[in-house]
Amino acid sequence: MTKLTIEGKTYSCQPNETVLEALLRGQVAISHACKKGTCHSCMVRSLNAAPPEAAQAGLKSTLKTHHHFLACLCHPEQDMVIKLPDQSEFYTDGTVVVNDMLNRNTLLLIIAFKDAFEFNAGQFVNLQRADGLTRCYSIANTPQESNTLEFHIRRLSGGRFSEWLHDGIKAGDTIAVSEPRGHCFYLPERRGQGLLLVGTGTGLAPLAGILTDALAHGHSGPIYLFHGSREVEDLYRIDELRQLVAQHQNFHYMPCLSGPHVPEGFTAGRANEVALATFADLKGWRIFLCGHPAMVNQMKTMVFLKGASSADIYADAFLSTPA
Amino acid sequence: MSESQSNEEATTSATLYERIGGEAAVNAAVELFYRKVLNDYRINRFFGNSDMDTQIAKQKAFFTMAFGGPNNYTGQDMRNAHAHLVKMGLDSSHFDAVMEHLGATLVELNVPAELIAEAAAIAESTRNDVLGK
Ligand SMILES: Cc1cc2nc3c(=O)[nH]c(=O)nc-3n(C[C@H](O)[C@H](O)[C@H](O)COP(=O)(O)OP(=O)(O)OC[C@H]3O[C@@H](n4cnc5c(N)ncnc54)[C@H](O)[C@@H]3O)c2cc1C
């Protein structure tokens, strides 16, 4: 018999029981449906040990790394500490150390922490205001760069949180930051694989982290970044990215403009459409799609139809919070 | 001859799902199948609307069922899950198109003809429930 612990409460798991069966017997309100590992609705996370391999069948490798597993497939091999999905989140206070503009409507926000903040480049966190208002923002740097998190915040006219960050925050202020979430990040495996990064607007934030991480890990396959906006004034980090192109033979950067005015050195068209036109076949590529939800969802299907395997498609749609 | 016969004997107790190759076979089949479906103008409007990950999970459940693998779907589940598509006009011709892609996918994966026939028969048995008849 093994012990399962959730939020300090302990449940027993009999030798032939799954974690799901044991928790249901213990009256834990855990979501579940097919009980066969197909629907993934009972996905939980182990906090103390790697879960049995069989309980991770069919999960994306990023979820596996974070010890997510399917309760219905799990026969524990040892005592486990388990986190249910959407349990109360834990927030840490950070201090604003930089708030500069990256372009006319995008704020560079850097938040410092006392202790190292564990995350994977490309994940996102929830930022929370004192009154409880909460929004998701992607981390734009990598964990190797000291105890800070970098964010790119686009001002949404009339937007409650983004306007507050732009106008109401100064260096030295504290801000509450949640645990990192999401599984749109780089894993240092299959380093010769082609990487296609497509982002609109501040979709560049997670992609910048992913790009830095891949280059730092010596990724040797071709890396293509397509960054799009309507006008050139809404792109950013153009010179820095061109600098990276000069330094890394395998890195290619295509700034794309969908508006009528396209200066030399920029590509006319939407970033996603330019990217699709660039590749006849994406079989074997790893794809990262971030930013505008309609772009992200449409591109997921398009790159899949061009041959990318669904397990190799990582995406963050910047969905807004319904009013 | 005798060898293939003894193979057959050894495998008669295995389920179709096991003989076809279990979850690995399902994963391989789903990708091929879903590309075919999305490229088919006759039926792609029934498949393209929700998030791709959700769709792929659904197709996995479909293939697991067609291969006689572990699933808890009842006829009523099938009816409920497809009722909104029937309202959109889903009919027997669309079901035929899906069956066509199911067969072509399994042929492409070199699944033996007799196993394809078994899988097709299981899928075919859901026709009335799927179409709400
Ligand atoms: C996973 C994830 C990662 C994200 N990462 C980032 C990031 O790195 N950088 C970043 O700037 N944002 C990011 N976002 C978006 C961010 O969470 C907020 O939605 C955004 O900042 C707007 O919040 P707000 O409070 O300012 O606006 P709200 O007050 O929430 O919005 C006001 C109204 O404007 C509407 N609206 C929302 N977006 C738009 C739009 N694009 N155009 C027109 N109207 C709109 C909404 O429907 C809403 O009713 C991310 C979102 C998600 C889900």
Side-chain angles (χ1 to χ4, degrees):
Chain A
M1 194 186 81
T2 49
K3 276 193 302 184
L4 308 174
T5 307
I6 298 180
E7 289 194 318
K9 273 200 188 156
T10 301
Y11 306 86
S12 67
C13 188
Q14 302 300 331
N16 50 14
E17 266 189 329
T18 63
V19 168
L20 180 63
E21 287 163 346
L23 295 182
L24 290 175
R25 186 169 50 76
Q27 317 256 304
V28 176
I30 173 172
S31 68
H32 62 280
C34 79
K35 299 190 182 177
K36 301 281 184 201
T38 307
C39 71
H40 291 196
S41 63
C42 67
M43 186 164 72
V44 294
R45 191 175 160 200
S46 165
L47 297 180
N48 66 321
E53 210 182 316
Q56 295 186 305
L59 299 186
K60 281 196 173 171
S61 48
T62 45
L63 290 173
K64 289 183 186 172
T65 323
H66 281 181
H67 294 174
H68 288 275
F69 69 93
L70 302 173
C72 70
L73 296 184
C74 186
H75 292 279
E77 290 161 350
Q78 56 190 308
D79 291 350
M80 298 182 90
V81 182
I82 294 170
K83 190 168 185 284
L84 300 182
D86 298 318
Q87 253 174 319
S88 64
E89 288 178 88
F90 305 107
Y91 280 82
T92 318
D93 272 340
T95 307
V96 174
V97 288
V98 174
N99 59 335
D100 285 338
M101 294 306 281
L102 288 161
N103 65 23
R104 63 182 177 185
N105 62 20
T106 308
L107 173 76
L108 169 68
L109 180 71
I110 299 183
I111 299 179
F113 297 85
K114 269 209 281 319
D115 303 310
F117 196 98
E118 266 184 53
F119 67 98
N120 285 294
Q123 285 192 294
F124 59 89
V125 295
N126 286 336
L127 299 184
Q128 196 171 66
R129 200 163 68 179
D131 65 358
L133 191 67
T134 307
R135 292 286 182 273
C136 299
Y137 292 100
S138 302
I139 305 171
N141 60 339
T142 61
Q144 293 80 20
E145 302 166 42
S146 70
N147 300 344
T148 61
L149 295 183
E150 174 186 321
F151 301 96
H152 304 164
I153 316 281
R154 183 174 152 234
R155 177 194 287 271
L156 177 64
S157 163
R160 282 159 291 170
F161 208 90
S162 62
E163 292 216 316
W164 171 67
L165 287 174
H166 274 254
D167 303 331
I169 274 281
K170 55 183 187 317
D173 287 354
T174 57
I175 190 161
V177 182
S178 77
E179 297 181 323
R181 307 159 135 217
H183 50 262
C184 179
F185 58 77
Y186 176 79
L187 282 173
E189 52 185 36
R190 293 179 292 162
R191 288 180 204 195
Q193 193 179 23
L195 303 184
L196 171 60
L197 283 51
V198 183
T200 50
T202 47
L204 182 61
L207 296 180
I210 288 163
L211 171 66
T212 311
D213 207 27
L215 291 174
H217 278 101
H219 194 89
S220 59
I223 307 176
Y224 280 83
L225 168 63
F226 295 83
H227 185 209
S229 72
R230 212 179 126 70
E231 291 164 0
V232 72
E233 289 84 358
D234 296 322
L235 292 178
Y236 57 94
R237 293 261 164 98
I238 299 167
D239 293 338
E240 290 90 334
L241 288 164
R242 288 193 170 139
Q243 192 83 42
L244 279 180
V245 171
Q247 289 162 3
H248 299 270
Q249 234 187 317
N250 59 332
F251 174 54
H252 309 270
Y253 166 57
M254 247 63 65
C256 303
L257 298 169
S258 59
H261 181 60
V262 183
E264 213 188 306
F266 296 84
T267 307
R270 292 174 193 275
N272 54 319
E273 286 163 10
V274 175
L276 286 174
T278 306
F279 300 95
D281 187 349
L282 288 167
K283 195 164 193 249
W285 283 67
R286 206 186 315 179
I287 321 271
F288 296 91
L289 307 167
C290 302
H292 198 284
M295 182 285 283
V296 167
N297 285 329
Q298 190 202 346
M299 268 302 266
K300 265 171 136 175
T301 305
M302 297 311 288
V303 297
F304 175 74
L305 286 177
K306 283 223 167 187
S309 157
S310 63
D312 277 332
I313 304 172
Y314 296 90
D316 262 341
F318 286 6
L319 295 166
S320 56
T321 311
Chain B
M1 264 306 215
S2 68
E3 195 179 283
S4 85
Q5 218 151 26
S6 68
N7 268 346
E8 225 160 77
E9 257 158 47
T11 52
T12 40
S13 60
T15 65
L16 173 64
Y17 183 72
E18 286 159 351
R19 280 177 286 145
I20 256 175
E23 199 197 337
V26 168
N27 288 342
V30 163
E31 298 248 327
L32 286 176
F33 171 78
Y34 193 46
R35 270 193 203 99
K36 288 185 200 300
V37 164
L38 286 179
N39 274 319
D40 183 343
Y41 68 93
R42 293 173 297 173
I43 50 173
N44 55 13
R45 71 198 149 101
F46 298 113
F47 286 83
N49 289 324
S50 64
D51 178 73
M52 203 179 78
D53 296 329
T54 316
Q55 279 294 344
I56 288 200
K58 282 190 198 161
Q59 305 319 320
K60 266 191 190 165
F62 170 64
F63 270 83
T64 305
M65 188 269 311
F67 292 172
N71 75 86
N72 282 335
Y73 287 99
T74 63
Q76 195 57 45
D77 291 338
M78 284 286 163
R79 282 172 189 271
N80 297 343
H82 295 91
H84 67 292
L85 300 179
V86 173
K87 274 206 196 107
M88 281 169 65
L90 186 78
D91 66 26
S92 233
S93 72
H94 306 118
F95 195 93
D96 291 342
V98 168
M99 292 297 293
E100 194 182 306
H101 294 307
L102 172 69
T105 300
L106 298 180
V107 168
E108 210 171 314
L109 289 170
N110 296 319
V111 173
E114 61 284 8
L115 298 191
I116 297 181
E118 274 186 62
I122 295 177
E124 184 58 51
S125 73
T126 67
R127 182 185 290 259
N128 284 345
D129 286 327
V130 166
L131 297 177
K133 294 210 168 133

